[in-house]
């Protein structure tokens, strides 16, 4: 767990960043002025400072030098609603780790926070993320547990497969926790979340002056994972040139930082994950076959939740205790309804549904009426089209199915929107957490968004 200090005079920003930090398992303190922030920093040194530029009293850029005297090399993320070139240059010159403009996307600030904490030189090896333990009494999950145990007992590279939301990162952290590398760092990286122009520097590190804004040398994630485990999520998204460098790092046990002329030795194990068919990507030439075989020494396929319905009550009760305490009870009919649902979003969808229901139940018995509507499923044909031909093709198939469905006649337009809109709104709320920023991102009025969320049974933030 790291300590994060947020200095911003907007209470909503402080609240949102505190929620984000808590979600990531960190302790967050907030201050509304630079002076208050300096006093907090002196009392307990933060591992990360998130600093606004426009503040009452001393401005953020002026305060940076004072903060640096207190927090030493801890990274600083500068945020501002009044971005210009001069401000950005000054922030970078003073050693800002990142410069983020308001209003920022939750995904963007989360990625920045994770990168900053991963690259903090003073940070001790972190514990693997563990929001909840992997649970399951089904034969499918017992087989997974056995393969995790076998993988943990070796040092072979592991490839985790399965649909989105099945718990691949939990499986990766379990492999690390039970391996001989358990005392080393667990370094997760989501390839899809990396800035494409900086992905090489993030993975392999860089020397000072390697590119504009590189004021200090930084260790790459592959070096940070030395002695431990590197978890590569969405491994199928690694760009072609980086596939070559990663293969060499695995084969040679060393990495060459951007701008460096000497490689750095590093010893890490790779556990990777993807929801895509890597073999098909190898066949199409999108993924290197030699890297595939290097990463795929041992495979573990995590089952979809709909294929282990007997585990749903166990997971649901665990989530209910987590979000509502022991006083929350799931009614028998609620458990039956949960087991009937297809859970196309897997464990992630179940977790979100239980959290939604607990809010409505108000510490009482959770009834089926408290559950949100299930997310729509495009069907196997649509999923295959999205994977092979893109989302446009999947949407075209949906439209054709509706046009040829006599029961949908006269309501095709509404049915088409109803099939797609809930997923968009659920993702927007998951990313933004609050209705106001979600509405801004979607281009909707907040009242309109709240009405739609209510229609589809998607949880809106209760603080608004």
């Amino acid at each position: 767990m790291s300590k994060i200090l947020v200095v911003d005079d907007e209470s909503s920003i402080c609240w949102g960043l505190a929620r984000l930090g808590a979600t990531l398992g960190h302790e967050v303190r907030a201050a509304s002025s630079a002076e208050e922030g300096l006093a907090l920093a002196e009392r307990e040194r933060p591992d990360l400072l998130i600093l606004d530029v426009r503040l009452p009293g001393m401005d953020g850029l002026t305060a940076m030098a004072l903060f640096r005297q207190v927090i030493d090399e801890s990274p600083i993320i500068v945020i501002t609603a009044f971005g210009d070139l001069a401000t950005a240059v000054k922030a970078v010159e003073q050693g800002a780790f990142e410069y983020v403009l308001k209003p920022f996307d939750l995904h963007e600030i989360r990625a920045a926070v994770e990168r900053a904490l991963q690259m903090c030189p003073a940070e001790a090896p972190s514990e693997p993320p563990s929001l909840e333990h992997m649970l399951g009494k089904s034969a499918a999950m017992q087989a997974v547990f056995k393969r995790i145990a076998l993988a943990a007992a070796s040092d072979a590279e592991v490839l985790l497969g399965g649909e989105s939301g099945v718990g691949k990162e939990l499986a990766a952290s379990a492999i690390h926790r039970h391996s001989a590398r358990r005392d080393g760092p667990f370094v997760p990286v989501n390839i899809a979340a990396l800035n494409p122009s900086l992905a090489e520097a993030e993975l392999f590190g860089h020397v000072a002056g390697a590119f504009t804004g590189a004021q200090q040398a930084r260790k790459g994630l592959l070096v940070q994972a030395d002695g431990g485990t590197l978890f590569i999520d969405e491994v199928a998204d690694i760009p072609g040139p980086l596939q070559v460098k990663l293969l060499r790092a695995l084969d040679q046990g060393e990495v060459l930082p951007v701008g460096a002329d000497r490689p750095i030795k590093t010893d890490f194990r790779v556990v990777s994950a993807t929801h895509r068919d890597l073999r098909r990507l190898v066949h199409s030439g999108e993924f290197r076959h030699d890297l595939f075989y290097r990463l795929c020494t041992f495979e573990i396929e995590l089952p979809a939740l709909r294929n282990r319905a007997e585990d749903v009550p166990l997971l649901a009760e665990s989530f209910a205790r987590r979000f509502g305490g022991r006083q929350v009870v799931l009614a028998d009919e609620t458990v039956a309804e949960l087991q009937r649902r297809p859970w196309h979003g897997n464990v992630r969808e179940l977790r979100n549904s239980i959290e939604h229901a607990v809010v409505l139940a108000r510490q009482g018995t959770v009834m089926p009426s408290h559950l949100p509507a299930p997310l729509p499923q495009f069907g196997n044909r649509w999923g295959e089209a999205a994977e092979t031909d893109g989302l446009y093709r999947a949407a075209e198939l949906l439209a054709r199915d509706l046009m040829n469905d006599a029961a949908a006649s006269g309501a095709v337009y509404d049915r088409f929107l109803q099939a797609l809109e809930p997923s968009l709104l659920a993702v927007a709320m998951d990313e933004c957490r609050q209705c106001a920023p979600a509405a801004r991102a979607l281009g909707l009025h907040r009242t309109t968004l709240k009405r739609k969320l209510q229609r589809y049974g998607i949880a809106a933030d209760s603080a608004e």
Side-chain angles (χ1 to χ4, degrees):
M1 181 178 71
S2 298
K3 296 178 181 178
I4 302 174
L5 173 59
V6 179
V7 181
D8 196 304
D9 60 337
E10 292 186 58
S11 58
S12 60
I13 295 290
C14 293
W15 179 86
L17 291 175
R19 283 280 301 272
L20 172 62
T23 300
L24 297 175
H26 304 305
E27 179 184 344
V28 182
R29 301 293 298 277
S32 59
S33 68
E35 292 81 359
E36 182 185 355
L38 284 165
L40 279 173
E42 287 176 353
R43 288 200 298 271
E44 80 183 76
R45 179 182 176 275
D47 300 301
L48 171 63
L49 171 64
I50 302 178
L51 180 64
D52 190 19
V53 171
R54 297 287 182 92
L55 293 167
M58 188 189 309
D59 68 88
L61 294 181
T62 301
M64 278 186 69
L66 299 176
F67 273 109
R68 184 57 70 199
Q69 294 174 16
V70 177
I71 67 176
D72 298 324
E73 296 301 315
S74 294
I76 300 175
I77 296 176
V78 172
I79 57 176
T80 182
F82 306 95
D84 56 31
L85 180 60
T87 303
V89 168
K90 187 173 182 182
V92 171
E93 286 178 346
Q94 295 190 151
F97 174 82
E98 190 121 6
Y99 181 79
V100 180
L101 289 175
K102 297 179 184 178
F104 43 74
D105 181 87
L106 184 62
H107 177 80
E108 176 187 11
I109 194 68
R110 174 174 180 155
V113 167
E114 290 177 333
R115 289 197 301 270
L117 290 175
Q118 286 167 356
M119 292 188 177
C120 177
E123 183 181 13
S126 60
E127 288 295 320
S130 181
L131 296 180
E132 62 272 331
H133 295 291
M134 298 187 74
L135 298 174
K137 59 183 180 181
S138 63
M141 282 307 293
Q142 292 303 310
V144 167
F145 294 158
K146 180 180 179 179
R147 292 186 70 80
I148 287 176
L150 291 172
S154 78
D155 206 35
E157 267 66 54
V158 180
L159 177 64
L160 300 170
E163 298 175 3
S164 294
V166 294
K168 293 189 285 292
E169 185 164 352
L170 283 176
S173 68
I175 292 171
H176 173 81
R177 279 200 311 275
H178 297 287
S179 74
R181 294 175 176 266
R182 66 178 67 89
D183 294 328
F186 179 87
V187 180
V189 54
N190 187 313
I191 296 297
L194 292 180
N195 183 328
S197 62
L198 297 176
E200 182 177 357
E202 302 251 11
L203 290 173
F204 298 93
H206 64 79
V207 299
F211 50 85
T212 302
Q215 301 295 320
Q216 299 176 343
R218 287 200 178 112
K219 290 182 180 179
L221 298 177
L222 275 63
V223 173
Q224 291 181 42
D226 185 30
T229 302
L230 178 71
F231 172 56
I232 306 178
D233 200 5
E234 302 299 346
V235 68
D237 293 331
I238 298 178
L242 292 190
Q243 292 182 26
V244 178
K245 291 199 67 173
L246 178 59
L247 179 62
R248 185 181 186 282
L250 290 169
D251 287 340
Q252 303 296 325
E254 58 185 27
V255 300
L256 184 67
V258 177
D261 54 11
R262 291 184 181 180
I264 300 174
K265 288 290 184 181
T266 182
D267 171 31
F268 58 90
R269 180 201 196 164
V270 173
V271 177
S272 53
T274 181
H275 68 281
R276 302 173 67 185
D277 185 350
L278 271 188
R279 287 180 172 81
R280 185 183 63 79
L281 296 179
V282 170
H283 182 72
S284 66
E286 297 174 67
F287 199 88
R288 292 182 63 92
H289 66 90
D290 45 7
L291 180 59
F292 169 76
Y293 290 119
R294 189 69 170 80
L295 296 175
C296 192
T297 304
F298 191 80
E299 287 187 80
I300 301 176
E301 185 75 15
L302 275 72
L305 185 55
R306 60 183 172 277
N307 295 331
R308 55 182 186 109
E310 59 265 50
D311 290 335
V312 169
L314 184 66
L315 289 164
E317 289 168 4
S318 174
F319 291 136
R321 287 195 301 271
R322 175 185 168 192
F323 296 124
R326 294 188 178 276
Q327 60 268 43
V328 172
V329 177
L330 300 177
D332 291 342
E333 52 266 48
T334 303
V335 174
E337 169 63 18
L338 292 172
Q339 288 191 284
R340 277 194 296 268
R341 294 193 175 190
W343 300 115
H344 300 300
N346 292 296
V347 179
R348 183 184 296 123
E349 183 187 355
L350 174 61
R351 180 187 63 196
N352 292 343
S353 297
I354 297 298
E355 184 175 13
H356 172 100
V358 167
V359 171
L360 293 180
R362 295 181 178 273
Q363 308 299 314
T365 300
V366 175
M367 304 300 296
S369 60
H370 294 138
L371 297 171
L375 293 179
Q377 162 66 357
F378 290 149
N380 291 336
R381 197 159 75 101
W382 302 345
E384 291 170 4
E387 180 71 19
T388 58
D389 302 316
L391 292 176
Y392 181 84
R393 173 62 175 159
E396 180 185 0
L397 285 175
L398 170 59
R400 291 190 183 281
D401 285 350
L402 289 172
M403 288 297 295
N404 291 303
D405 182 358
S409 180
V412 169
Y413 182 78
D414 287 339
R415 292 276 295 276
F416 184 86
L417 290 183
Q418 288 170 8
L420 298 177
E421 191 174 46
S423 296
L424 172 63
L425 300 183
V427 168
M429 290 304 300
D430 185 52
E431 291 289 335
C432 299
R433 301 292 180 183
Q434 294 178 278
C435 280
R440 285 197 299 270
L442 293 167
L444 297 174
H445 192 279
R446 185 166 59 176
T447 303
T448 302
L449 174 59
K450 286 187 174 181
R451 185 171 64 249
K452 289 177 178 291
L453 294 174
Q454 184 177 17
R455 179 195 307 167
Y456 294 122
I458 300 172
D461 192 280
S462 58
E464 290 197 301

